[in-house]
Amino acid sequence: QIQLVQSGAEVKKPGASVKVACKTSGYTFSNYGINWVRQAPGQGLEWMGWISGFNGETQSPQNLQGRLTLTTDKSTTTAYMELRRLTSDDTATYYCALIVPADSFDFWGQGTLVTVSS
Amino acid sequence: QSALTQPASVSGSPGQSITISCTATSSDVGTYTYFSWYQQYPGNVPKVVIYDVSNRPSGVSDRFSGSKSGNTATLTISGLQAEDEADYYCSSYSASATSRVFGPGTKVTV
């Protein structure tokens, strides 16, 4: 069965970087891309970006470009999300998600809480 | 980046039907033509209840249905039940599903 398992919670100081891992299994990694979505406490969902499992092509909204790096490791079928220059506004639960409507896929990781605090 | 608007809250009595609207307001409406809907309970991972405007994943109650008119998508929950009390988010995405945006969410109270 398809599974996405994320790395554990992180506590970071303002200005630092965080890298969250998303280990996938149960499907052919290079056939699909991975989305990253975050949710600040008590707030809504925010799409952060998408990365192709085939060639590493990425898509992301303008507001995060410059701070966000999405990468993959095909050998371990793992996707990574790195966010730099963290502020308190980046405190959120970060999710990776395999969303492929054409194949009726919609699988999410369990979420990773990132807390930014001095 | 497209912007989506949803009502902040919708309420209904058990057995009633409710609708939640999701309107794309950006000028790039033509890019984000597909809609999905997610249900989220507090502390839980979002779960898709409708994708590609009106398709229902297996295992999702047929009380959930979706439609679209112009740049507005609508989620209808019929025969409202206590377990439907949750937050609902619409998401609009491109044909390739490689980029998307989420609405602000609607709190449904039963």
Side-chain angles (χ1 to χ4, degrees):
Chain A
Q1 72 282 22
I2 293 174
Q3 286 190 310
L4 286 73
V5 179
Q6 299 182 219
S7 49
E10 303 262 15
V11 179
K12 297 292 182 180
K13 293 195 181 305
S17 299
V18 69
K19 191 170 186 177
V20 177
C22 173
K23 168 65 178 169
T24 72
S25 60
Y27 72 99
T28 302
F29 186 78
S30 58
N31 283 358
Y32 303 106
I34 291 291
N35 289 270
W36 289 90
V37 177
R38 70 178 177 177
Q39 185 170 36
Q43 302 301 307
L45 303 172
E46 178 187 7
W47 179 72
M48 298 181 68
W50 171 91
I51 182 166
S52 168
F54 174 66
N55 59 9
E57 173 193 350
T58 60
Q59 300 271 358
S60 62
Q62 281 194 328
N63 65 311
L64 289 173
Q65 290 177 12
R67 292 203 300 137
L68 176 70
T69 299
L70 302 179
T71 56
T72 62
D73 182 339
K74 286 185 180 181
S75 67
T76 60
T77 65
T78 300
Y80 297 92
M81 184 284 300
E82 181 180 28
L83 192 61
R84 299 177 294 281
R85 301 192 299 276
L86 294 169
T87 73
S88 57
D89 289 342
D90 296 314
T91 293
T93 296
Y94 290 74
Y95 296 101
C96 59
L98 172 65
I99 305 174
V100 187
D103 289 339
S104 303
F105 281 178
D106 202 290
F107 298 92
W108 292 57
Q110 81 276 20
T112 296
L113 177 61
V114 175
T115 303
V116 183
S117 173
S118 56
Chain B
Q1 184 75 9
S2 186
L4 302 177
T5 60
Q6 298 179 234
S9 62
V10 173
S11 63
S13 301
Q16 284 186 332
S17 293
I18 61 169
T19 62
I20 304 171
S21 61
C22 173
T23 301
T25 59
S26 172
S27 59
D28 57 355
V29 158
T31 300
Y32 295 91
T33 57
Y34 294 85
F35 289 84
S36 58
W37 291 91
Y38 289 86
Q39 176 192 61
Q40 187 182 34
Y41 296 111
N44 281 26
V45 176
K47 170 191 170 186
V48 67
V49 293
I50 294 290
Y51 67 97
D52 282 356
V53 177
S54 59
N55 291 336
R56 193 172 49 249
S58 61
V60 172
S61 171
D62 59 5
R63 297 184 298 102
F64 292 87
S65 63
S67 62
K68 175 187 167 186
S69 177
N71 60 335
T72 296
T74 301
L75 174 70
T76 300
I77 309 175
S78 58
L80 203 60
Q81 299 180 2
E83 66 198 48
D84 300 330
E85 190 162 291
D87 294 321
Y88 291 83
Y89 296 91
C90 64
S91 178
S92 184
Y93 49 97
S94 60
S96 61
T98 58
S99 62
R100 62 180 55 236
V101 63
F102 285 96
T106 297
K107 181 174 182 60
V108 168
T109 302
V110 180

